Amino acid sequence: MASRPGLLTDWPWAPLGSFKYLLLAPLVVDSIYSFATIRDQVKLLILAMGVWRIVHSQVWISLSRYMTAKGTKRIVNKSIEFDQVDRERSWDDQIIFNTFVTYLAKVYILGTNILPFWRLDGVVLAALLHAGPVEFFYYWFHRALHHHFLYSRYHSHHHSSIVTEPITSVVHPFAEHIGYTLILGIPLVTTLLCGTISMVSLFTYMTYIDFMNNLGHCNFELIPKSFFSLVPPLKFLCYTPSFHSLHHTQFRTNYSLFMPMYDYIYGTNDKCSDSLYETSLDREEEKPDAIHLTHLTSLDSIYHLRLGFASFSSHPLSSRFYVFLMRPLSLILSFILTSFSSRTFVFERNRFRDLTFHSHLLPKFSSNYMSQRHKEGINKMIEEAILEADKKGVRGEELNGYGEMYVRKHPKLKIRIVDGSSLASEVVLHSIPVGTKEVLFRGQITKVARAIVLSLCQNGIKVMVLREEEYSKLAEFLEGDCKVNLVLSANYSPTIWLVGDGLSKEEQKMARKGTRFLPFSQFPPTKLRKDCFYHNTPAMIIPDSAQNIDSCENWLGRRVMSAWRVGGIVHALEGWEEHECGDLDVSIVNPPRVWEAALRNGFQPLVLPSLETKGFNNSY
């Protein structure tokens, strides 16, 4: 929002939120009807152009976020936070607006239902009009927007983003977009009135506008030096991301739209443009201090990746009606990812104090880990990721699973592998209210589950287990007097349930009113009971000093990370030299040390509102 919002700042359909696309429904119906009755191709062409512009912009979003995560050729070394993502989630409003404007122009100005595919005179005329009137008018309109009166009421909204992303280019107040539409529409309206417009000129010009807008707002340099060295005059006809980045950091220079010649003519070009361009091109890929290795969870998590839809990833993963409608696309993307991707890739970059942490995606789903067909491929990808990180000199690599086989296979690893289980178990233990005498255990037996049960039994708390198989596996790790606190029982009376994968709906229905479900796995149970409390999966609130946090981790809230991931970060921050991975004997590990280190580094536990007044059992 601008510092002093002026007239027509908000978009007319802002209150509709995600339902704003329903405004296009009448246009879709009318286009289909017109094509079926009078073979009107132009209306369908206009809608197809809107869809193409959304796809085109999304490709730029994903590419930009991937490149900035790697750090290659990055221009501004600052972070993007949630406030910028929220501010820029309206980037598609201009596509809806332009679709309406173009549709109205067709209905009231264009007198034909068919456009020629190609007309050379129309393409040439559009190019000349853009290089002349469009670039000239835009330059002076842009300079006027930087006058304190208009800047405070409108343009300051756009300049709130110091570190730009492709979609930053179209995030403006509604009134400002009206001005841009009038200027950028000059070539299209002129060729339309002259009768020289064609399908190619319409699509090419709109794609050119979007392409250059997105390119200029990337936070990485991608135009090679050879582009300008072979044809030096191109320096005045095509800007670079670093050229426009200076406009967002210096504010009073580099006003041009896409052609810097007007800045050179009127003396507003930034003197640092050339040096920043060369410096950005020479910046090599950033070496991380630690790598977090993760995988896809549910089918919808494809869109939740930071490389995907920015607005999706900035909120906890949940069911959305439009995601269900996109299920066919989800299936296609999941097939491509799991079938043709043979290695991990970086998708996020975070900073904690002076350390850099990269998140790498293993392109497999949780269900693939249970399949023997995918087992060998998954292990190979994880091993390659570890060896590549070791080659780069990364301090640590966090795994979402047990990694002892890789340590044994490569005993000379310089990096340290951390699965984060110690901290995950401590997070669950510190979520249990003070004074608890008994808990009910139900779920698959994991390393985290064994550590939790061992600690509870050692502290005199009875752990009631519903299934004999689970009881037998847990009893193997208990010795001496504490073993009597593990009880096989069909009693559902405890109000504290420790639950993992495998909890059934029928078992949930047996819980007493007011029962607190505390998950110890990475997947939360389905919330069936409105009269019970459901805690998050083991996670912690990250410190305010953490930078470049603009996406949520699956179903967790903003600035909250899973305990497994935090465990790897803490391991790197503390500089510990030992591995924490594999199916180790939980009696010899030291989870409290990791918990204390996490608190010391600013991480905070999550608390259920109902438990805030009761405190925590910190005796573990």
Side-chain angles (χ1 to χ4, degrees), residues 233-302:
L234 287 176
K235 174 182 179 181
F236 305 103
L237 300 177
C238 179
Y239 74 167
T240 65
S242 55
F243 180 90
H244 190 71
S245 177
L246 283 168
H247 177 70
H248 277 262
T249 56
Q250 303 302 321
F251 299 104
R252 297 292 183 180
T253 58
N254 296 2
Y255 293 103
S256 294
L257 178 56
F258 307 140
M259 300 181 177
M261 61 181 178
Y262 289 101
D263 279 303
Y264 284 95
I265 291 174
Y266 296 108
T268 53
N269 62 300
D270 196 296
K271 308 308 181 201
C272 298
S273 297
D274 292 340
S275 59
L276 180 61
Y277 168 71
E278 295 177 1
T279 302
S280 301
L281 279 177
D282 293 337
R283 185 165 292 161
E284 298 180 354
E285 181 175 339
E286 183 180 49
K287 186 184 76 171
D289 296 293
I291 292 177
H292 167 65
L293 189 59
T294 186
H295 56 77
L296 296 166
T297 53
S298 65
L299 188 62
D300 297 338
S301 65
I302 294 175

Side-chain angles (χ1 to χ4, degrees), residues 442 465-472 488-489 502 504 507:
R442 172 68 188 95
V465 184
L466 297 175
R467 301 193 178 187
E468 185 173 352
E469 179 183 2
E470 294 171 0
Y471 174 85
S472 300
L488 179 63
S489 172
S504 67
E507 288 169 330

Side-chain angles (χ1 to χ4, degrees), residues 379-395:
N379 286 336
K380 183 178 179 181
M381 277 191 278
I382 295 176
E383 183 177 1
E384 289 176 350
I386 292 174
L387 293 177
E388 183 178 354
D390 191 60
K391 185 178 179 181
K392 292 180 178 179
V394 176
R395 297 189 192 182

Side-chain angles (χ1 to χ4, degrees), residues 480-547:
D481 296 338
C482 71
K483 196 169 186 177
V484 300
N485 291 317
L486 184 68
V487 180
L488 179 63
S489 172
N491 186 356
Y492 292 87
S493 61
T495 56
I496 302 296
W497 283 36
L498 304 177
V499 297
D501 300 335
L503 178 69
S504 67
K505 296 180 180 179
E506 291 72 22
E507 288 169 330
Q508 277 200 56
K509 294 177 181 178
M510 298 295 292
R512 292 171 55 186
K513 179 180 179 180
T515 294
R516 296 171 174 83
F517 293 98
L518 305 180
F520 58 81
S521 73
Q522 298 187 28
F523 295 88
T526 304
K527 297 181 180 180
L528 299 178
R529 300 282 299 274
K530 294 183 178 180
D531 58 350
C532 296
F533 300 96
Y534 291 82
H535 205 286
N536 284 303
T537 55
M540 300 189 77
I541 303 172
I542 63 176
D544 294 336
S545 58
Q547 299 176 4

Side-chain angles (χ1 to χ4, degrees), residues 95-213:
I95 296 179
I96 297 176
F97 177 66
N98 292 154
T99 301
F100 272 114
V101 171
T102 310
Y103 209 86
L104 292 174
K106 188 276 168 199
V107 173
Y108 294 105
I109 300 178
L110 185 64
T112 178
N113 296 328
I114 300 177
L115 285 180
F117 178 76
W118 164 260
R119 286 198 58 160
L120 178 61
D121 53 354
V123 174
V124 173
L125 179 58
L128 292 175
L129 288 170
H130 177 84
V134 170
E135 289 281 348
F136 178 79
F137 289 147
Y138 178 90
Y139 173 84
W140 286 107
F141 179 62
H142 193 184
R143 285 193 66 170
L145 287 172
H146 277 262
H147 184 276
H148 64 86
F149 181 84
L150 293 178
Y151 185 83
S152 61
R153 287 163 175 78
Y154 299 104
H155 203 52
S156 59
H157 178 74
H158 177 69
H159 274 276
S160 298
S161 301
I162 304 298
V163 182
T164 59
E165 291 196 292
I167 52 177
T168 306
S169 62
V170 290
V171 176
H172 302 279
F174 179 53
E176 200 171 324
H177 256 295
I178 294 176
Y180 294 141
T181 301
L182 292 174
I183 295 173
L184 295 173
I186 292 175
L188 297 179
V189 173
T190 303
T191 54
L192 176 62
L193 294 175
C194 294
T196 59
I197 194 170
S198 64
M199 292 185 183
V200 171
S201 64
L202 178 62
F203 260 86
T204 301
Y205 186 65
M206 293 303 299
T207 301
Y208 168 75
I209 295 297
D210 289 339
F211 181 90
M212 295 301 292
N213 251 332

Side-chain angles (χ1 to χ4, degrees), residues 1 26 90 116 141 166 195 330 335 361 378 416 452 496 548 574 588:
M1 184 66 68
S90 61
F141 179 62
S330 305
F335 175 77
L361 179 72
I378 290 175
R416 296 297 175 258
I452 293 172
I496 302 296
N548 209 47
E574 291 292 313
I588 61 174

